[in-house]
Amino acid sequence: MKYRCILLFGAPGAGKGTQGKIFGAIPKFFHCACGDVFRNLRTDTPLGKVFLQYSSRGELVPDEPTIKLWKESIKAATSVGRFHPKHDLLVLDGIPRNVNQAKILRDTLDVVGVFYLENSNPEKLIERIQRRAIKENRLDDANLEIIRQRLKTYEAETKPVLKHYGNKLVHVINADQSPAKVLADILHYAVQK
Ligand code: AMP
């Protein structure tokens, strides 16, 4: 069985997490942020160390351990009854993060919509990431050079995922708007899925 899902897509700092948390509070939606799954790892475990190694450089963790960890996390959420794959729409944030991950997950995900949170101003993204770094104690987001590398990684590796899914699935959302307006725009399409 494939998981019916929508993807929250966009650059770091675009507001995917904010939207994802709201979706997570609505019955029949289950939000999963891949970055949170990594951040919940203990840093003294082998994979926790690998995560720190890559995230502290603004780079992606290699695909194989990422997909394995993500699958384990979804299975764990299912077995404790937090996620009901038959009834819930899975809201993914931060995965698939490159075209290879999208290909690996082709048999696992039934992607019914991709919401591309598009920002016009990269400087605003940087400001937002830095504010969040302090508030949420996110090491990878504290340093300007790492943030710039994260944005480069996004442009080079993540953005091509949009083309992979194609125009029919992708909805462009103006992420310069207030969070409430962004939510309204996403919901407009998502409730039809
Ligand atoms: P995020 O909070 O989504 O920006 O993720 C923080 C960091 O976790 C990223 O910079 C990556 O190092 C790692 N990460 C999160 N999701 C993925 C993914 N799907 N593939 C590879 N690395 C990821």
Side-chain angles (χ1 to χ4, degrees), residues 11-12 57-60 145-160:
R57 295 197 301 242
E59 293 171 10
L60 299 183
E145 232 171 87
I146 301 170
I147 296 173
R148 291 207 191 278
Q149 182 53 48
R150 260 156 79 63
L151 294 173
K152 269 191 205 157
T153 302
Y154 165 75
E155 288 293 332
E157 298 182 47
T158 307
K159 221 158 168 205

Side-chain angles (χ1 to χ4, degrees), residues 12-13 16 33-36 38-39 51 54-56 58-63 66-67 93-98 101 132 138 140-141 150 153:
K16 304 186 294 292
C34 197
D36 288 344
F38 275 122
R39 277 184 290 276
F51 165 63
Y54 285 90
S55 63
S56 66
E59 293 171 10
L60 299 183
V61 178
D63 296 336
T66 297
I67 300 290
D93 152 1
I95 189 167
R97 195 82 159 224
N98 59 30
Q101 291 183 11
R132 177 179 73 186
R138 284 163 71 152
D140 54 338
D141 285 343
R150 260 156 79 63
T153 302

Side-chain angles (χ1 to χ4, degrees), residues 88-160:
D88 295 345
L89 186 63
L90 180 59
V91 179
L92 289 179
D93 152 1
I95 189 167
R97 195 82 159 224
N98 59 30
V99 172
N100 190 45
Q101 291 183 11
K103 286 181 179 163
I104 296 172
L105 290 170
R106 194 176 269 154
D107 296 332
T108 307
L109 301 178
D110 171 18
V111 180
V112 297
V114 178
F115 295 94
Y116 171 28
L117 275 56
E118 190 180 41
N119 297 78
S120 63
N121 185 349
E123 290 309 312
K124 276 248 167 71
L125 287 178
I126 293 174
E127 251 174 53
R128 219 190 263 177
I129 293 172
Q130 285 183 312
R131 243 184 293 133
R132 177 179 73 186
I134 299 162
K135 236 172 73 187
E136 297 179 14
N137 196 20
R138 284 163 71 152
L139 292 177
D140 54 338
D141 285 343
N143 173 302
L144 194 57
E145 232 171 87
I146 301 170
I147 296 173
R148 291 207 191 278
Q149 182 53 48
R150 260 156 79 63
L151 294 173
K152 269 191 205 157
T153 302
Y154 165 75
E155 288 293 332
E157 298 182 47
T158 307
K159 221 158 168 205

Side-chain angles (χ1 to χ4, degrees), residues 10-67:
K16 304 186 294 292
T18 301
Q19 297 300 323
K21 275 185 207 128
I22 301 171
F23 270 101
I26 307 175
K28 302 265 160 95
F29 289 92
F30 179 74
H31 172 231
C32 173
C34 197
D36 288 344
V37 176
F38 275 122
R39 277 184 290 276
N40 284 335
L41 288 172
R42 284 177 45 164
T43 48
D44 59 355
T45 58
L47 189 52
K49 285 182 186 154
V50 172
F51 165 63
L52 278 186
Q53 186 191 336
Y54 285 90
S55 63
S56 66
R57 295 197 301 242
E59 293 171 10
L60 299 183
V61 178
D63 296 336
E64 202 195 314
T66 297
I67 300 290

